[in-house]
PDB file of all heavy atoms in Angstrom:
ATOM      1  N   VAL A 449      18.911  51.561 148.635  1.00 98.00           N
ATOM      2  CA  VAL A 449      19.220  52.141 147.336  1.00 98.00           C
ATOM      3  C   VAL A 449      19.339  51.126 146.208  1.00 98.00           C
ATOM      4  O   VAL A 449      19.709  51.476 145.086  1.00 98.00           O
ATOM      5  CB  VAL A 449      20.494  53.012 147.417  1.00 98.00           C
ATOM      6  CG1 VAL A 449      20.214  54.275 148.219  1.00 98.00           C
ATOM      7  CG2 VAL A 449      21.656  52.236 148.033  1.00 98.00           C
ATOM      8  N   ALA A 450      19.045  49.852 146.499  1.00 98.00           N
ATOM      9  CA  ALA A 450      18.906  48.832 145.454  1.00 98.00           C
ATOM     10  C   ALA A 450      18.070  47.719 146.085  1.00 98.00           C
ATOM     11  O   ALA A 450      18.019  47.602 147.314  1.00 98.00           O
ATOM     12  CB  ALA A 450      20.264  48.297 145.004  1.00 98.00           C
ATOM     13  N   GLU A 451      17.416  46.932 145.250  1.00 97.00           N
ATOM     14  CA  GLU A 451      16.539  45.877 145.771  1.00 97.00           C
ATOM     15  C   GLU A 451      17.233  45.040 146.839  1.00 97.00           C
ATOM     16  O   GLU A 451      16.717  44.844 147.929  1.00 97.00           O
ATOM     17  CB  GLU A 451      16.119  44.940 144.639  1.00 97.00           C
ATOM     18  CG  GLU A 451      14.752  45.111 144.043  1.00 97.00           C
ATOM     19  CD  GLU A 451      13.617  45.435 144.977  1.00 97.00           C
ATOM     20  OE1 GLU A 451      13.267  44.586 145.831  1.00 97.00           O
ATOM     21  OE2 GLU A 451      13.051  46.523 144.857  1.00 97.00           O
ATOM     22  N   ILE A 452      18.416  44.544 146.494  1.00 97.00           N
ATOM     23  CA  ILE A 452      19.064  43.623 147.427  1.00 97.00           C
ATOM     24  C   ILE A 452      19.463  44.341 148.710  1.00 97.00           C
ATOM     25  O   ILE A 452      19.357  43.793 149.815  1.00 97.00           O
ATOM     26  CB  ILE A 452      20.290  42.934 146.778  1.00 97.00           C
ATOM     27  CG1 ILE A 452      20.829  41.861 147.719  1.00 97.00           C
ATOM     28  CG2 ILE A 452      21.369  43.925 146.420  1.00 97.00           C
ATOM     29  CD1 ILE A 452      21.946  41.045 147.141  1.00 97.00           C
ATOM     30  N   HIS A 453      19.867  45.573 148.579  1.00 98.00           N
ATOM     31  CA  HIS A 453      20.256  46.355 149.752  1.00 98.00           C
ATOM     32  C   HIS A 453      19.050  46.544 150.679  1.00 98.00           C
ATOM     33  O   HIS A 453      19.153  46.359 151.900  1.00 98.00           O
ATOM     34  CB  HIS A 453      20.824  47.691 149.284  1.00 98.00           C
ATOM     35  CG  HIS A 453      21.038  48.701 150.363  1.00 98.00           C
ATOM     36  ND1 HIS A 453      21.816  48.462 151.468  1.00 98.00           N
ATOM     37  CD2 HIS A 453      20.562  49.973 150.514  1.00 98.00           C
ATOM     38  CE1 HIS A 453      21.820  49.541 152.246  1.00 98.00           C
ATOM     39  NE2 HIS A 453      21.067  50.460 151.698  1.00 98.00           N
ATOM     40  N   THR A 454      17.910  46.872 150.113  1.00 98.00           N
ATOM     41  CA  THR A 454      16.709  47.046 150.935  1.00 98.00           C
ATOM     42  C   THR A 454      16.310  45.728 151.597  1.00 98.00           C
ATOM     43  O   THR A 454      15.910  45.691 152.756  1.00 98.00           O
ATOM     44  CB  THR A 454      15.566  47.618 150.078  1.00 98.00           C
ATOM     45  OG1 THR A 454      16.005  48.864 149.533  1.00 98.00           O
ATOM     46  CG2 THR A 454      14.312  47.844 150.908  1.00 98.00           C
ATOM     47  N   GLN A 455      16.463  44.642 150.847  1.00 97.00           N
ATOM     48  CA  GLN A 455      16.146  43.337 151.450  1.00 97.00           C
ATOM     49  C   GLN A 455      17.072  43.041 152.628  1.00 97.00           C
ATOM     50  O   GLN A 455      16.633  42.510 153.650  1.00 97.00           O
ATOM     51  CB  GLN A 455      16.265  42.227 150.404  1.00 97.00           C
ATOM     52  CG  GLN A 455      15.123  42.246 149.402  1.00 97.00           C
ATOM     53  CD  GLN A 455      15.210  41.103 148.396  1.00 97.00           C
ATOM     54  OE1 GLN A 455      16.026  40.184 148.554  1.00 97.00           O
ATOM     55  NE2 GLN A 455      14.384  41.154 147.374  1.00 97.00           N
ATOM     56  N   ILE A 456      18.335  43.373 152.486  1.00 98.00           N
ATOM     57  CA  ILE A 456      19.273  43.126 153.592  1.00 98.00           C
ATOM     58  C   ILE A 456      18.908  44.002 154.793  1.00 98.00           C
ATOM     59  O   ILE A 456      18.935  43.546 155.938  1.00 98.00           O
ATOM     60  CB  ILE A 456      20.735  43.362 153.136  1.00 98.00           C
ATOM     61  CG1 ILE A 456      21.140  42.285 152.129  1.00 98.00           C
ATOM     62  CG2 ILE A 456      21.695  43.346 154.330  1.00 98.00           C
ATOM     63  CD1 ILE A 456      22.484  42.525 151.452  1.00 98.00           C
ATOM     64  N   LEU A 457      18.515  45.247 154.525  1.00 98.00           N
ATOM     65  CA  LEU A 457      18.078  46.114 155.629  1.00 98.00           C
ATOM     66  C   LEU A 457      16.896  45.480 156.354  1.00 98.00           C
ATOM     67  O   LEU A 457      16.872  45.380 157.576  1.00 98.00           O
ATOM     68  CB  LEU A 457      17.670  47.493 155.109  1.00 98.00           C
ATOM     69  CG  LEU A 457      18.769  48.412 154.576  1.00 98.00           C
ATOM     70  CD1 LEU A 457      18.163  49.729 154.094  1.00 98.00           C
ATOM     71  CD2 LEU A 457      19.837  48.685 155.626  1.00 98.00           C
ATOM     72  N   ASN A 475      12.068  50.600 148.864  1.00 97.00           N
ATOM     73  CA  ASN A 475      13.287  50.629 148.051  1.00 97.00           C
ATOM     74  C   ASN A 475      13.167  51.668 146.945  1.00 97.00           C
ATOM     75  O   ASN A 475      12.125  51.794 146.315  1.00 97.00           O
ATOM     76  CB  ASN A 475      13.533  49.261 147.403  1.00 97.00           C
ATOM     77  CG  ASN A 475      14.714  49.324 146.449  1.00 97.00           C
ATOM     78  OD1 ASN A 475      14.554  49.299 145.227  1.00 97.00           O
ATOM     79  ND2 ASN A 475      15.899  49.469 146.991  1.00 97.00           N
ATOM     80  N   THR A 477      15.811  52.234 143.886  1.00 97.00           N
ATOM     81  CA  THR A 477      17.119  51.944 143.298  1.00 97.00           C
ATOM     82  C   THR A 477      17.737  53.227 142.729  1.00 97.00           C
ATOM     83  O   THR A 477      17.053  54.006 142.058  1.00 97.00           O
ATOM     84  CB  THR A 477      16.987  50.870 142.209  1.00 97.00           C
ATOM     85  OG1 THR A 477      16.472  49.686 142.819  1.00 97.00           O
ATOM     86  CG2 THR A 477      18.333  50.559 141.568  1.00 97.00           C
ATOM     87  N   ALA A 663      29.776  40.254 147.517  1.00 98.00           N
ATOM     88  CA  ALA A 663      28.316  40.322 147.470  1.00 98.00           C
ATOM     89  C   ALA A 663      27.763  40.697 148.848  1.00 98.00           C
ATOM     90  O   ALA A 663      28.274  40.244 149.880  1.00 98.00           O
ATOM     91  CB  ALA A 663      27.747  38.995 147.010  1.00 98.00           C
ATOM     92  N   SER A 664      26.783  41.547 148.846  1.00 98.00           N
ATOM     93  CA  SER A 664      26.085  42.093 150.027  1.00 98.00           C
ATOM     94  C   SER A 664      26.718  43.373 150.564  1.00 98.00           C
ATOM     95  O   SER A 664      26.096  44.074 151.359  1.00 98.00           O
ATOM     96  CB  SER A 664      25.987  41.098 151.192  1.00 98.00           C
ATOM     97  OG  SER A 664      27.200  41.069 151.954  1.00 98.00           O
ATOM     98  N   GLU A 666      28.181  46.156 148.694  1.00 98.00           N
ATOM     99  CA  GLU A 666      27.972  47.396 147.929  1.00 98.00           C
ATOM    100  C   GLU A 666      26.473  47.667 147.903  1.00 98.00           C
ATOM    101  O   GLU A 666      25.712  46.886 147.346  1.00 98.00           O
ATOM    102  CB  GLU A 666      28.488  47.220 146.499  1.00 98.00           C
ATOM    103  CG  GLU A 666      28.461  48.474 145.658  1.00 98.00           C
ATOM    104  CD  GLU A 666      29.590  49.451 145.990  1.00 98.00           C
ATOM    105  OE1 GLU A 666      29.381  50.302 146.875  1.00 98.00           O
ATOM    106  OE2 GLU A 666      30.653  49.362 145.385  1.00 98.00           O
ATOM    107  N   ALA A 667      26.052  48.765 148.523  1.00 98.00           N
ATOM    108  CA  ALA A 667      24.610  49.014 148.616  1.00 98.00           C
ATOM    109  C   ALA A 667      23.976  49.041 147.226  1.00 98.00           C
ATOM    110  O   ALA A 667      23.009  48.340 146.953  1.00 98.00           O
ATOM    111  CB  ALA A 667      24.358  50.310 149.362  1.00 98.00           C
ATOM    112  N   SER A 668      24.507  49.862 146.338  1.00 98.00           N
ATOM    113  CA  SER A 668      23.969  49.915 144.981  1.00 98.00           C
ATOM    114  C   SER A 668      25.104  50.010 143.968  1.00 98.00           C
ATOM    115  O   SER A 668      25.236  49.181 143.074  1.00 98.00           O
ATOM    116  CB  SER A 668      23.043  51.132 144.819  1.00 98.00           C
ATOM    117  OG  SER A 668      22.884  51.458 143.461  1.00 98.00           O
ATOM    118  N   LEU A 686      26.879  39.397 142.030  1.00 98.00           N
ATOM    119  CA  LEU A 686      25.457  39.716 142.183  1.00 98.00           C
ATOM    120  C   LEU A 686      25.285  40.542 143.449  1.00 98.00           C
ATOM    121  O   LEU A 686      24.880  40.069 144.498  1.00 98.00           O
ATOM    122  CB  LEU A 686      24.629  38.433 142.231  1.00 98.00           C
ATOM    123  CG  LEU A 686      24.511  37.735 140.873  1.00 98.00           C
ATOM    124  CD1 LEU A 686      23.680  36.469 140.976  1.00 98.00           C
ATOM    125  CD2 LEU A 686      23.919  38.678 139.816  1.00 98.00           C
ATOM    126  N   ASP A 687      25.644  41.811 143.311  1.00 98.00           N
ATOM    127  CA  ASP A 687      25.641  42.726 144.441  1.00 98.00           C
ATOM    128  C   ASP A 687      25.043  44.059 144.005  1.00 98.00           C
ATOM    129  O   ASP A 687      25.161  44.460 142.845  1.00 98.00           O
ATOM    130  CB  ASP A 687      27.088  42.946 144.919  1.00 98.00           C
ATOM    131  CG  ASP A 687      27.159  43.534 146.320  1.00 98.00           C
ATOM    132  OD1 ASP A 687      26.159  43.437 147.053  1.00 98.00           O
ATOM    133  OD2 ASP A 687      28.227  44.057 146.692  1.00 98.00           O
ATOM    134  N   GLY A 688      24.399  44.751 144.939  1.00 98.00           N
ATOM    135  CA  GLY A 688      23.884  46.086 144.655  1.00 98.00           C
ATOM    136  C   GLY A 688      23.048  46.104 143.385  1.00 98.00           C
ATOM    137  O   GLY A 688      22.306  45.166 143.088  1.00 98.00           O
ATOM    138  N   ALA A 689      23.197  47.168 142.630  1.00 98.00           N
ATOM    139  CA  ALA A 689      22.399  47.319 141.416  1.00 98.00           C
ATOM    140  C   ALA A 689      22.897  46.432 140.276  1.00 98.00           C
ATOM    141  O   ALA A 689      22.243  46.360 139.232  1.00 98.00           O
ATOM    142  CB  ALA A 689      22.385  48.780 140.979  1.00 98.00           C
ATOM    143  N   ASN A 690      24.031  45.736 140.467  1.00 98.00           N
ATOM    144  CA  ASN A 690      24.465  44.799 139.419  1.00 98.00           C
ATOM    145  C   ASN A 690      23.342  43.804 139.105  1.00 98.00           C
ATOM    146  O   ASN A 690      23.179  43.381 137.965  1.00 98.00           O
ATOM    147  CB  ASN A 690      25.688  43.989 139.859  1.00 98.00           C
ATOM    148  CG  ASN A 690      26.922  44.847 140.074  1.00 98.00           C
ATOM    149  OD1 ASN A 690      26.915  46.029 139.751  1.00 98.00           O
ATOM    150  ND2 ASN A 690      27.977  44.257 140.612  1.00 98.00           N
ATOM    151  N   ILE A 691      22.601  43.439 140.148  1.00 98.00           N
ATOM    152  CA  ILE A 691      21.520  42.462 139.951  1.00 98.00           C
ATOM    153  C   ILE A 691      20.460  43.033 139.020  1.00 98.00           C
ATOM    154  O   ILE A 691      19.999  42.370 138.092  1.00 98.00           O
ATOM    155  CB  ILE A 691      20.896  42.085 141.311  1.00 98.00           C
ATOM    156  CG1 ILE A 691      21.960  41.407 142.186  1.00 98.00           C
ATOM    157  CG2 ILE A 691      19.678  41.193 141.121  1.00 98.00           C
ATOM    158  CD1 ILE A 691      21.464  41.058 143.579  1.00 98.00           C
ATOM    159  N   GLU A 692      20.119  44.279 139.262  1.00 97.00           N
ATOM    160  CA  GLU A 692      19.099  44.905 138.420  1.00 97.00           C
ATOM    161  C   GLU A 692      19.641  45.179 137.011  1.00 97.00           C
ATOM    162  O   GLU A 692      18.896  45.158 136.039  1.00 97.00           O
ATOM    163  CB  GLU A 692      18.568  46.169 139.100  1.00 97.00           C
ATOM    164  CG  GLU A 692      17.666  45.791 140.278  1.00 97.00           C
ATOM    165  CD  GLU A 692      17.672  46.770 141.435  1.00 97.00           C
ATOM    166  OE1 GLU A 692      16.994  47.805 141.339  1.00 97.00           O
ATOM    167  OE2 GLU A 692      18.361  46.501 142.444  1.00 97.00           O
ATOM    168  N   SER A 708      27.143  34.370 146.311  1.00 98.00           N
ATOM    169  CA  SER A 708      25.944  35.207 146.387  1.00 98.00           C
ATOM    170  C   SER A 708      25.947  35.939 147.727  1.00 98.00           C
ATOM    171  O   SER A 708      26.676  35.570 148.656  1.00 98.00           O
ATOM    172  CB  SER A 708      24.698  34.332 146.295  1.00 98.00           C
ATOM    173  OG  SER A 708      24.593  33.554 147.477  1.00 98.00           O
ATOM    174  N   ALA A 709      25.110  36.954 147.810  1.00 98.00           N
ATOM    175  CA  ALA A 709      25.010  37.711 149.063  1.00 98.00           C
ATOM    176  C   ALA A 709      24.583  36.788 150.199  1.00 98.00           C
ATOM    177  O   ALA A 709      25.085  36.895 151.327  1.00 98.00           O
ATOM    178  CB  ALA A 709      24.013  38.855 148.897  1.00 98.00           C
ATOM    179  N   GLU A 710      23.674  35.890 149.902  1.00 97.00           N
ATOM    180  CA  GLU A 710      23.191  34.997 150.946  1.00 97.00           C
ATOM    181  C   GLU A 710      24.336  34.128 151.481  1.00 97.00           C
ATOM    182  O   GLU A 710      24.481  33.945 152.695  1.00 97.00           O
ATOM    183  CB  GLU A 710      22.074  34.123 150.401  1.00 97.00           C
ATOM    184  CG  GLU A 710      21.431  33.299 151.487  1.00 97.00           C
ATOM    185  CD  GLU A 710      20.196  32.542 151.008  1.00 97.00           C
ATOM    186  OE1 GLU A 710      20.025  32.431 149.770  1.00 97.00           O
ATOM    187  OE2 GLU A 710      19.445  32.076 151.853  1.00 97.00           O
ATOM    188  N   TYR A 847      16.610  37.994 146.760  1.00 80.00           N
ATOM    189  CA  TYR A 847      18.051  37.885 146.520  1.00 80.00           C
ATOM    190  C   TYR A 847      18.811  37.359 147.736  1.00 80.00           C
ATOM    191  O   TYR A 847      19.941  36.947 147.631  1.00 80.00           O
ATOM    192  CB  TYR A 847      18.617  39.242 146.092  1.00 80.00           C
ATOM    193  CG  TYR A 847      17.925  39.791 144.869  1.00 80.00           C
ATOM    194  CD1 TYR A 847      17.245  40.989 144.905  1.00 80.00           C
ATOM    195  CD2 TYR A 847      17.933  39.056 143.681  1.00 80.00           C
ATOM    196  CE1 TYR A 847      16.602  41.477 143.790  1.00 80.00           C
ATOM    197  CE2 TYR A 847      17.286  39.539 142.561  1.00 80.00           C
ATOM    198  CZ  TYR A 847      16.622  40.758 142.621  1.00 80.00           C
ATOM    199  OH  TYR A 847      15.994  41.230 141.523  1.00 80.00           O
ATOM    200  N   ILE A 848      18.195  37.474 148.877  1.00 77.00           N
ATOM    201  CA  ILE A 848      18.875  36.901 150.054  1.00 77.00           C
ATOM    202  C   ILE A 848      17.873  36.081 150.843  1.00 77.00           C
ATOM    203  O   ILE A 848      16.676  36.222 150.671  1.00 77.00           O
ATOM    204  CB  ILE A 848      19.498  37.961 150.986  1.00 77.00           C
ATOM    205  CG1 ILE A 848      18.417  38.893 151.537  1.00 77.00           C
ATOM    206  CG2 ILE A 848      20.594  38.711 150.283  1.00 77.00           C
ATOM    207  CD1 ILE A 848      18.826  39.585 152.788  1.00 77.00           C
TER     208      ILE A 848
END
Side-chain angles (χ1 to χ4, degrees):
V449 290
E451 259 321 294
I452 187 175
H453 169 56
T454 301
Q455 287 182 10
I456 292 171
L457 290 179
N475 174 253
T477 299
S664 81
E666 186 77 271
S668 160
L686 287 180
D687 197 19
N690 295 352
I691 297 177
E692 287 149 79
S708 69
E710 187 173 16
Y847 303 119
I848 61 159

